[in-house]
Amino acid sequence: GAVVSQHPSRVICKSGTSVKIECRSLDFQATTMFWYRQFPKKSLMLMATSNEGSKATYEQGVEKDKFLINHASLTLSTLTVTSAHPEDSSFYICSARTEANTEAFFGQGTRLTVV
Amino acid sequence: AQSVTQLGSHVSVSEGALVLLRCNYSSSVPPYLFWYVQYPNQGLQLLLKYTTGATLVKGINGFEAEFKKSETSFHLTKPSAHMSDAAEYFCAVSLQGFQKLVFGTGTRLLVSP
């Protein structure tokens, strides 16, 4: 099946710095990608919908200036956590939807720890 | 707006026993329904999905789920649990295909020998 690669799988950063997470669809073009955040022992919360070549659509309560999303190509979307703080520590997961809207494939997730 | 309720944050079964994970949804229009499995520190893998048509949906690894509109349910079952089935399971709903999935809180399946 299709593969979505997310990098890095784990990252530790200092408070106040920025971290970039990449989400790549390896063998299909994804005009739409989604970014989720998963808190410990909690469900996945959709943060934003990323559309290639246009601005991302953020869910209510998600700070767009803090969580910058770029979808510059049909196979790559990036999430940058700016000025990270310990409360941003979480598991971030991306998914990429096929153009035919028949399935969405998930990346393996990124464990962000802000110290 | 859609929502998903998964009853039971943990379900424990013995190897070989029936697995039943419950999911109820709320949607103003006919929904698309999904079950995903997540292993520790990994992303999600689609087990099965219901879009239209046959209400009994078969997925990977021997899992199946039945869409019951009258009960607004989409419970996941497997006749015989295997140790490798131990994982977190998420039920999800969307209004249109794979656009903006809304997830339940998840159910951790524990399988004992």
Side-chain angles (χ1 to χ4, degrees), chain A residues 4-6 21-25 33 35 75-77 94-95:
Chain A
V4 174
S5 176
Q6 194 172 334
I21 302 170
E22 293 186 346
C23 180
R24 293 180 184 273
S25 57
M33 292 185 176
W35 287 96
T75 59
L76 174 65
S77 176
C94 72
S95 73

Side-chain angles (χ1 to χ4, degrees), chain A residues 30-104:
Chain A
T31 54
T32 303
M33 292 185 176
F34 304 92
W35 287 96
Y36 295 85
R37 180 173 179 176
Q38 186 176 31
F39 295 93
K41 303 185 187 301
K42 296 287 187 181
S43 184
L44 286 77
M45 302 297 295
L46 179 65
M47 298 174 65
T49 301
S50 169
N51 296 297
E52 187 269 335
S54 64
K55 291 183 178 181
T57 302
Y58 290 82
E59 295 300 302
Q60 190 173 9
V62 177
E63 300 177 62
K64 61 180 181 181
D65 294 331
K66 180 166 188 62
F67 298 99
L68 299 179
I69 291 173
N70 182 277
H71 195 156
S73 78
L74 287 172
T75 59
L76 174 65
S77 176
T78 60
L79 168 67
T80 300
V81 182
T82 63
S83 186
H85 290 284
E87 57 265 30
D88 299 325
S89 299
S90 194
F91 195 58
Y92 294 87
I93 305 176
C94 72
S95 73
R97 191 184 70 184
T98 61
E99 287 186 274
N101 194 24
T102 54
E103 190 160 347

Side-chain angles (χ1 to χ4, degrees), chain A residues 28-34 36 49 51 95-105, chain B residues 32 34 36 46 49-51 94-101:
Chain A
F28 68 100
Q29 293 183 329
T31 54
T32 303
M33 292 185 176
F34 304 92
Y36 295 85
T49 301
N51 296 297
S95 73
R97 191 184 70 184
T98 61
E99 287 186 274
N101 194 24
T102 54
E103 190 160 347
F105 297 94
Chain B
Y32 287 63
F34 311 85
Y36 284 89
L46 180 67
K49 62 183 178 185
Y50 169 79
T51 54
S94 78
L95 289 182
Q96 186 178 17
F98 288 85
Q99 185 75 16
K100 292 184 66 172
L101 271 65

